[in-house]
Amino acid sequence: MSTKPTTTDLEWTDLDRRAVDTVRVLAMDAVQKVGNGHPGTAMSLAPAAYVLFQKLLRHDPADAQWTGRDRFVLSAGHSSLTLYIQLYLAGYGLELDDLESFRTWGSKTPGHPEYGHTVGVETTTGPLGQGVANAVGMAMASRYERGLYDPDAAPGTSPFDHTIWAVAGDGCLQEGVSGEASSLAGHQKLGNLVLLWDDNHISIEGDTETAVSEDTLKRYEAYGWHVQRVEQQENGDLDPVGLYNALKAAQAETERPSFIAARSIIAWPAPHAQNTGAAHGAALGEDEVAATKKVLGFDPEKTFDVSDEVLAHTREALDRGREVRGEWEKSFAAWRTANPERAATFDRIRAGELPEGWESHLPAFETGKSVATRAASGKVLEALGGVIPELWGGSADLAGSNNTTFDKTSSFLPADNPLPGADPYGRTVHYGIREHAMGSTMNGISLHGNTRIYGGTFLVFSDYMRAPVRLAALMQVPVTYVWTHDSIGLGEDGPTHQPVEHLAVLRAIPGLNIVRPADANETAIAWREILKRHAKRSPHGLALTRQGVPTYEANEDAAKGGYVLFDAEGQDGQKTAPQVVLIATGSEVQLAVEAREQLQAAGVPARVVSMPSVEWFDEQDQGYRDSVLPPSVKARVAVEAGIGLTWHRFVGEAGRIVSLEHFGASADGKVLFREFGFTAEAVASAARESLEASAR
């Protein structure tokens, strides 16, 4: 571990100091006006945020989506004012009115930063630790992007070289996801990542001695990070010179990610509120705000007081941004000239387009053959791997089970990793047994842009990923989850590994599309549709079988989420109106097909509807949905090997649901299906019950 360097090239003037103190005043006033919020961290972090945005960050406030920009992630999202005030001062479009409307209806400054809502916010943070993992994902994406477009350039010379800066608090580092992600970052030697820890020793319950006693810096050293500590000034404030030097040293360290501990005093320099738990999450009070303004040399009678001189000084970030972007544009133009094919690939990917003719590479599967949908998914990835270079991913140590490896000769690993195929620009990501970090880094990868990411694990372990999956849906980022072993059909591993409630729970997340294909051909169509939907910006979860299932003839309507797989027939074998509709997903579609045969033989015309995605089906117009599920047919059965929560609205009052309302057991999957009532006979029986109920 090193401490701050003793030399610096930082220009630090009285105007810079006044700007930092202005940040503190604005943070106090914004929270005081709305009556709630988190002022203390924004006050103590003011020098660090200012140094980053005004002295170090490569950015252009006039274009927050500039490809060559650095990324800034505020993992400690409760301190959203730390970010908002810097965006205001630098000229991203926020103004004083926006700070004055902090945490109120319709404002650009919600309680926690929201991606897509406020210009300059790179990711939605709030759940602590997620931002740390997002930043790790951005650093991974940056490296992969460089491999796509400029792999041979010397370090620091490519227009695709940039730094990922992140700020975390004590709470972020207590959450397990940050540990998972930091371990992964150290293993990957992400030298483009800098994490600043606001070491203020305070959380909601007071001093962090209540919960934490480890040596965090040694922990990060053990992860393989470059570690520094920046000491306070004698008055207790953060030292801008020390911060600048440490951040510059971290940026210069390209072989390891960098961790900087900055000991701060929360709510500094509030006379009575500093270093208290109350300052973390509550307004300081009018008297304390006034007293603090006096300490800082501001008029206590004024609120949201920003001098013209300070604002003119900080808005020079626009001029610096224009200049640094201009220099980057020159290097980018030179790269384009020297690399016309890669430039064409960049333009295509940047536009969200797929390679011409890519769909012709999708496999078609033989009708009647038994194929596990996880195996079919693997075949799709193998077929597309060489065609869509921006597509990459892996699994949480389950590649062989998830079938997520489409390039067995290429692993996304540092060049000095001893494993065969280690390549810093490799296609296959080994997340390790870190499902939570996998989900969160995938969000960061997607947010970084210019690639397409997927990640796999067992469906039951989506529990470990729920926070980042929810955030992916909230942010509308197009990540793809490959969740296999999707039911009790996985068999002998037993109830700890058998998902029961998971499909319903995941479908309950707004904006998340769950796709549970019935067979191999539906799986190929599902992958095709997911890839085509990338520009719609929503996450998708594939739920895939371990066991083999029959392969049916491909039907393009599978991309509509629900369709007629087999229609009702009369005694003459001709299509006729159904008396009952059987709705099924995944491995249970075969049960509906067999039940239909039994019903048809008994003179009951039955239609089988395969519904791989409820969400896609809901998108279709009413006419199409009614053509699949005729409103006049009240006799309906839904069958899915999980809880039946999803299906009540589809079957109606007279309908029946063949579901699993309890946990599984350890036995062969076929035995479990039989013992728990997932048979064609049970589905046919439910259909007869529904017919009777609908006739009353």
Side-chain angles (χ1 to χ4, degrees):
M1 185 189 77
S2 60
T3 56
K4 62 181 182 180
T6 56
T7 60
T8 187
D9 60 355
L10 174 67
E11 293 184 9
W12 192 258
T13 67
D14 287 342
L15 199 51
D16 289 314
R17 180 192 59 77
R18 187 65 173 177
V20 168
D21 289 342
T22 298
V23 172
R24 290 170 164 139
V25 168
L26 290 173
M28 288 190 297
D29 284 345
V31 175
Q32 192 62 36
K33 180 177 180 183
V34 73
N36 55 78
H38 301 78
T41 301
M43 294 168 68
S44 58
L45 266 180
Y50 183 86
V51 165
L52 273 168
F53 272 82
Q54 293 289 327
K55 308 293 183 179
L56 282 169
L57 197 67
R58 184 172 76 173
H59 64 131
D60 181 3
D63 184 359
Q65 295 302 311
W66 165 39
T67 295
R69 73 191 184 280
D70 287 349
R71 304 316 197 258
F72 174 79
V73 175
L74 180 68
S75 186
H78 58 276
S79 186
S80 54
L81 286 165
T82 293
L83 178 54
Y84 296 151
I85 295 170
Q86 295 305 322
L87 296 177
Y88 157 64
L89 292 176
Y92 275 82
L94 290 183
E95 298 298 345
L96 269 182
D97 287 347
D98 298 306
L99 299 181
E100 292 187 49
S101 60
F102 178 55
R103 294 171 74 101
T104 61
W105 175 262
S107 77
K108 297 179 182 178
T109 50
H112 292 81
E114 296 179 22
Y115 171 75
H117 184 83
T118 308
V119 174
V121 173
E122 299 278 8
T123 179
T124 297
T125 53
L128 293 176
Q130 292 294 322
V132 173
N134 292 167
V136 172
M138 291 177 184
M140 292 168 66
S142 175
R143 192 170 88 192
Y144 188 79
E145 179 186 54
R146 195 187 199 277
L148 277 179
Y149 308 126
D150 204 13
D152 302 320
T157 65
S158 171
F160 298 99
D161 289 332
H162 53 269
T163 303
I164 314 299
W165 307 91
V167 172
D170 293 297
C172 294
L173 300 192
Q174 289 177 45
E175 288 285 1
V177 64
S178 67
E180 287 185 24
S182 296
S183 172
L184 178 62
H187 180 70
Q188 287 288 350
K189 300 185 177 180
L190 299 175
N192 55 352
L193 173 63
V194 180
L195 176 60
L196 176 66
W197 171 33
D198 176 35
D199 180 19
N200 66 33
H201 290 208
I202 294 292
S203 61
I204 291 175
E205 294 186 5
D207 196 301
T208 53
E209 288 288 344
T210 58
V212 179
S213 56
E214 77 231 26
D215 188 324
T216 302
L217 276 72
K218 287 184 179 178
R219 177 157 67 93
Y220 272 81
E221 284 183 341
Y223 288 148
W225 290 53
H226 170 234
V227 173
Q228 302 175 81
R229 175 172 282 286
V230 177
E231 302 297 342
Q232 296 164 291
Q233 298 183 93
E234 289 186 6
N235 64 2
D237 194 10
L238 285 176
D239 176 13
V241 175
L243 284 167
Y244 177 84
N245 291 337
L247 290 164
K248 288 283 285 185
Q251 191 176 32
E253 171 56 65
T254 59
E255 299 300 318
R256 296 171 290 171
S258 288
F259 182 83
I260 301 169
R263 178 70 172 99
S264 67
I265 295 177
I266 198 168
W268 192 95
H272 305 101
Q274 65 177 276
N275 205 34
T276 65
H280 169 87
L284 300 187
E286 291 183 4
D287 291 343
E288 187 72 358
V289 169
T292 307
K293 287 179 180 179
K294 288 181 179 179
V295 171
L296 294 172
F298 282 73
D299 186 345
E301 299 299 320
K302 292 183 178 180
T303 59
F304 297 95
D305 184 14
V306 182
S307 71
D308 293 342
E309 188 180 24
V310 163
L311 190 58
H313 179 63
T314 60
R315 291 282 168 94
E316 289 174 6
L318 286 161
D319 299 326
R320 292 191 296 272
R322 190 180 307 111
E323 181 179 349
V324 72
R325 180 175 177 179
E327 291 300 314
W328 180 88
E329 294 283 4
K330 292 177 184 177
S331 69
F332 187 64
W335 168 80
R336 294 185 72 92
T337 300
N339 300 275
E341 291 186 7
R342 285 179 175 146
T345 299
F346 173 85
D347 292 339
R348 174 185 64 76
I349 294 172
R350 185 72 172 165
E353 299 172 355
L354 288 160
E356 186 175 349
W358 70 276
E359 291 182 56
S360 65
H361 294 266
L362 286 164
F365 296 91
E366 181 183 346
T367 301
K369 190 174 182 181
S370 180
V371 180
T373 55
R374 63 166 177 164
S377 174
K379 293 294 184 185
V380 172
L381 287 173
E382 287 177 8
L384 296 181
V387 182
I388 307 177
E390 64 269 32
L391 181 65
W392 61 309
S395 80
D397 198 55
L398 289 168
S401 294
N402 298 148
N403 294 92
T404 50
T405 302
F406 56 36
D407 186 351
K408 296 178 181 178
T409 66
S410 171
S411 291
F412 184 81
L413 287 168
D416 61 356
N417 188 286
L419 293 179
D423 181 349
Y425 308 135
R427 301 288 297 280
T428 300
V429 184
H430 304 281
Y431 290 103
I433 307 167
R434 305 182 181 100
E435 292 92 349
H436 197 167
M438 179 176 72
S440 303
T441 57
M442 286 169 65
N443 286 348
I445 290 168
S446 185
L447 289 162
H448 182 274
N450 296 336
T451 67
R452 296 171 181 241
I453 190 66
Y454 67 85
T457 186
F458 292 172
L459 178 58
V460 75
F461 299 140
S462 64
D463 284 341
Y464 287 123
M465 303 174 65
R466 181 168 172 79
V469 170
R470 182 177 187 274
L471 285 168
L474 178 62
M475 292 188 284
Q476 297 181 295
V477 291
V479 298
T480 303
Y481 312 105
V482 182
W483 287 319
T484 69
H485 297 59
D486 67 347
S487 74
I488 56 171
L490 69 88
E492 291 84 354
D493 277 339
T496 62
H497 282 53
Q498 293 165 0
V500 173
E501 75 280 19
H502 296 72
L503 290 168
V505 167
L506 290 165
R507 288 178 183 136
I509 298 176
L512 173 64
N513 298 311
I514 297 299
V515 189
R516 190 173 185 238
D519 68 349
N521 283 323
E522 269 194 23
T523 303
I525 292 170
W527 263 113
R528 186 190 67 191
E529 183 67 10
I530 289 169
L531 290 166
K532 291 171 73 172
R533 283 170 166 259
H534 187 82
K536 292 187 177 181
R537 302 196 62 80
S538 59
H540 285 84
L542 280 163
L544 305 172
T545 68
R546 178 199 184 205
Q547 72 275 25
V549 292
T551 302
Y552 304 108
E553 186 175 344
N555 189 319
E556 294 301 316
D557 283 343
K560 296 179 179 178
Y563 67 101
V564 178
L565 178 61
F566 291 106
D567 214 340
E569 296 176 353
Q571 291 183 346
D572 58 0
Q574 298 299 307
K575 178 181 174 181
T576 189
Q579 292 182 15
V580 62
V581 176
L582 310 177
I583 310 166
T585 76
S587 55
E588 291 75 75
V589 169
Q590 62 183 307
L591 302 180
V593 172
E594 293 174 17
R596 172 188 174 274
E597 293 172 358
Q598 294 179 17
L599 292 166
Q600 289 283 159
V604 179
R607 169 183 288 183
V608 173
V609 170
S610 176
M611 193 173 289
S613 177
V614 169
E615 294 80 16
W616 291 355
F617 186 70
D618 283 342
E619 291 177 5
Q620 308 309 313
D621 62 58
Q622 190 67 49
Y624 176 79
R625 284 180 282 147
D626 288 348
S627 74
V628 176
L629 300 176
S632 60
V633 181
K634 305 299 183 182
R636 299 180 182 185
V637 177
V639 53
E640 187 171 67
I643 65 171
L645 191 62
T646 299
W647 301 107
H648 293 279
R649 68 183 175 96
F650 289 99
V651 301
E653 291 184 6
R656 296 294 184 267
I657 301 171
V658 179
S659 62
L660 188 68
E661 305 298 329
H662 54 79
F663 294 117
S666 179
D668 178 79
K670 292 180 180 178
V671 172
L672 294 175
F673 266 65
R674 183 185 71 236
E675 294 297 323
F676 290 145
F678 287 93
T679 64
E681 291 74 19
V683 176
S685 176
R688 295 185 186 97
E689 290 181 17
S690 183
L691 282 163
E692 291 178 7
S694 64
R696 293 174 191 155

